[in-house]
Amino acid sequence: MDGMSGMANPIFSPEPSSSSTSTSSSATSSPPHPPLPSTPASVIRMVNIRSHIPITLNLQQSNYSQWSSFFDSVFGKFGLQQHVTGPHDRTNIDAEWYMIDQSIVNWLYTTIFTEIFNMVHKPKATVYSVWGSLVHVVSLSLSLAVVS
């Protein structure tokens, strides 16, 4: 686990988060998307992420929703959801998966402001752990803004 106390990734949660929970959600929710084939690491390494993510995550601008929506699109476009949706046993990861994961970690780090980077970066990070840390930091920031 990444210290996030089992928090689900909000982008890939089966239902959008809200203050109330629907009891008949199974009747209205769409079926889950089938797993997509992942794009090869050789392609992912060459992606100019700024052409896909035109904004930088900034706590002062409260632009997490827009930023994460762009990433949601990129993850779907390149078949990379599995890197974000759950922790992975590092003993079962091949070199291709690792290179893709580290490329995405780089994308995340280069699309956030330095103040956020300083709060979430860690040695040997995975996409899952960095994404969880970003969700945590944004949640804390929103909580503090409500209290202020």
Side-chain angles (χ1 to χ4, degrees):
M1 212 34 70
D2 66 352
M4 293 301 302
S5 64
M7 288 178 55
N9 184 323
I11 283 185
F12 298 105
S13 294
E15 299 177 25
S17 60
S18 65
S19 57
S20 64
T21 305
S22 173
T23 57
S24 63
S25 63
S26 61
T28 60
S29 64
S30 60
H33 298 286
L36 300 173
S38 185
T39 304
S42 59
V43 172
I44 296 297
R45 286 192 311 260
M46 301 305 294
V47 170
N48 175 1
I49 197 59
R50 287 297 185 180
S51 66
H52 300 276
I53 313 291
I55 62 175
T56 302
L57 180 59
N58 183 340
L59 295 177
Q60 303 304 316
Q61 292 180 0
S62 299
N63 62 356
Y64 174 78
S65 178
Q66 296 90 352
W67 178 86
S68 64
S69 292
F70 282 117
F71 264 107
D72 183 31
S73 174
V74 168
F75 294 147
K77 184 184 308 182
F78 294 109
L80 302 171
Q81 294 92 337
Q82 73 277 13
H83 289 267
V84 182
T85 56
H88 301 279
D89 179 5
R90 289 184 181 242
T91 60
N92 295 327
I93 294 174
D94 63 9
E96 179 85 1
W97 192 96
Y98 182 75
M99 287 186 285
I100 291 170
D101 203 65
Q102 291 307 292
S103 295
I104 301 168
V105 167
N106 182 262
W107 293 351
L108 295 172
Y109 285 165
T110 60
T111 59
I112 60 178
F113 267 80
T114 303
E115 69 173 311
I116 302 170
F117 173 83
N118 291 336
M119 291 185 255
V120 301
H121 82 283
K122 55 188 96 175
K124 299 182 181 182
T126 64
V127 173
Y128 180 77
S129 66
V130 173
W131 193 271
S133 294
L134 286 166
V135 169
H136 183 71
V137 165
V138 169
S139 296
L140 283 176
S141 175
L142 292 173
S143 296
L144 292 173
V146 170
V147 171
S148 298

